[in-house]
Amino acid sequence: MAENVIIIGSGPAGLTAAVYAARADLKPLMIEGMEAGGQLMLTTEVENYPGFPDGIMGPELMENFRKQAERFGTRIMSSNVTKVDFSQRPFKVWVGEDEYEGDSVIISTGASARWIGVPGEDKLRGYGVSSCATCDGFFFRDREIIVVGGGDSAMEEATFLTKFASKVTIVHRRDEFRASKIMARRALDNPKIEVLWNTVVEEIVGDKAVTGVKLRNVETDEASDLAVEGVFVAIGHIPNTNIFDGQLELDSEGYIVTTDHTRTSVEGVFAAGDVVDKVYRQAITAAGMGCESAIDAERWLEAQHDPE
């Protein structure tokens, strides 16, 4: 028999959807993915989630979400969905060879950090290479580091990292930032921040930890070496939507297109969180969308049973 609702992915969006769907007696099945809990599992202290005046660790916050979803009857599978078929109802969702059917689906698969893709990056990830300043900044007290990127997130990371690092160098491939004026000004005015314009990272150097980077000026083609102990990559995110390509309408960047809040291009399939949202990307906004998606799914299911 088909599930009332299958939630694909976890994080604040999926787990909030699960809480609401479970309280609506929809008995949701959540296939949370192997990277359960989403990007908050990579953060240390979360200080901007309402209700926690002293802050809370990201993994602890997600564990609380999870317990709450389970308390109301959500069944959680720690597996990755490998394939979906939204061409007819009930919808089909596969985990390996195992097939599940759902009358409705909520997608909350989130987004992953975009990496540069240069030699040394994979090997040294976690050993001086990071995509999360708030998670790892305190490891770089009194050290020289670089931030790669030119958008708001790069400015935010660089400014935040000046709390710890002795010097932060922003490496940007163009001659001006994409960031908003206020964020760019804040970074440029910070005495601890220097900018290398028209420059790209060609290689991250180090054996067991980052010791430096090889750089190239894209205008002069001049190569240079810079001794640093940390590389923070802040060049955006990639939505985790590969398995939905050809099943749902995606935008040019791969994010799921929604209308009327959380409805996707397929009736009965809803989406919430960073898989949709490229603007705010906060735990609180993801949770809000998760709530919307569960209410939307519940009302849609009711309408199917009661066409009048």
Side-chain angles (χ1 to χ4, degrees):
M1 199 168 108
E3 306 285 344
N4 292 312
V5 58
I6 295 175
I7 300 170
I8 303 174
S10 44
L15 287 164
T16 303
V19 168
Y20 274 79
R23 282 176 55 84
D25 203 29
L26 293 177
K27 303 177 176 60
L29 171 65
M30 168 179 274
I31 306 171
E32 66 177 355
M34 300 308 285
E35 293 175 15
Q39 293 182 75
L40 275 194
M41 300 302 282
L42 303 174
T43 61
T44 47
E45 197 160 21
V46 178
E47 295 185 319
N48 55 6
Y49 200 88
F52 298 93
D54 300 321
I56 184 170
M57 301 304 267
E60 186 187 353
L61 181 61
M62 286 299 87
E63 182 57 27
N64 289 347
F65 271 55
R66 199 174 195 275
K67 284 179 181 163
Q68 196 169 355
E70 288 182 312
R71 175 188 158 200
F72 296 115
T74 303
R75 288 159 297 138
I76 299 180
M77 288 174 57
S78 299
S79 308
N80 283 332
V81 170
T82 49
K83 190 172 71 163
V84 297
D85 181 0
F86 296 155
S87 63
Q88 57 186 34
R89 296 202 296 267
F91 304 116
K92 292 182 172 60
V93 173
W94 282 268
V95 174
E97 297 298 308
D98 299 330
E99 181 186 314
Y100 299 87
E101 291 189 336
D103 289 330
S104 66
V105 172
I106 293 171
I107 297 166
S108 54
T109 47
S112 301
R114 195 186 292 275
W115 296 97
I116 320 171
V118 297
E121 184 178 48
D122 283 348
K123 182 180 86 165
L124 293 165
R125 202 175 296 171
Y127 299 94
V129 175
S130 171
S131 65
C132 180
T134 49
C135 326
D136 299 326
F138 64 93
F139 295 125
F140 295 89
R141 196 172 290 285
D142 301 323
R143 297 183 183 188
E144 294 195 10
I145 60 175
I146 67 166
V147 171
V148 182
D152 276 356
S153 58
M155 301 305 110
E156 204 171 327
E157 303 261 285
T159 305
F160 175 82
L161 287 164
T162 59
K163 292 181 185 179
F164 308 101
S166 57
K167 181 181 177 185
V168 178
T169 302
I170 299 174
V171 176
H172 185 45
R173 61 168 50 243
R174 297 186 180 87
D175 58 2
E176 62 178 350
F177 290 137
R178 293 189 319 279
S180 60
K181 283 190 171 54
I182 189 166
M183 296 295 287
R185 179 51 49 205
R186 193 176 296 166
L188 291 166
D189 285 348
N190 192 307
K192 276 191 175 183
I193 294 176
E194 192 177 297
V195 183
L196 289 177
W197 303 102
N198 300 312
T199 302
V200 293
V201 175
E202 300 253 278
E203 186 180 344
I204 299 170
V205 182
D207 186 18
K208 291 186 177 156
V210 171
T211 57
V213 288
K214 290 186 182 296
L215 304 172
R216 182 173 58 82
N217 184 297
V218 295
E219 294 220 308
T220 64
D221 213 34
E222 188 183 337
S224 60
D225 294 333
L226 184 65
V228 292
E229 293 183 70
V231 176
F232 285 81
V233 180
I235 55 172
H237 289 78
I238 303 169
N240 300 322
T241 53
N242 278 355
I243 58 168
F244 309 116
D245 194 12
Q247 298 284 333
L248 295 173
E249 184 186 347
L250 307 177
D251 72 11
S252 59
E253 295 171 75
Y255 288 86
I256 295 174
V257 174
T258 54
T259 55
D260 196 16
H261 296 287
T262 68
R263 294 167 185 268
T264 70
S265 57
V266 173
E267 206 180 316
V269 179
F270 305 86
D274 286 13
V275 77
V276 173
D277 173 22
K278 60 179 108 165
V279 178
Y280 302 105
R281 288 204 299 262
Q282 300 297 307
I284 187 71
T285 51
M289 289 177 77
C291 159
E292 290 179 21
S293 68
I295 293 172
D296 287 347
E298 180 196 359
R299 289 177 179 167
W300 182 81
L301 286 165
E302 274 177 11
Q304 305 314 299
H305 296 310
D306 181 18
E308 294 304 309

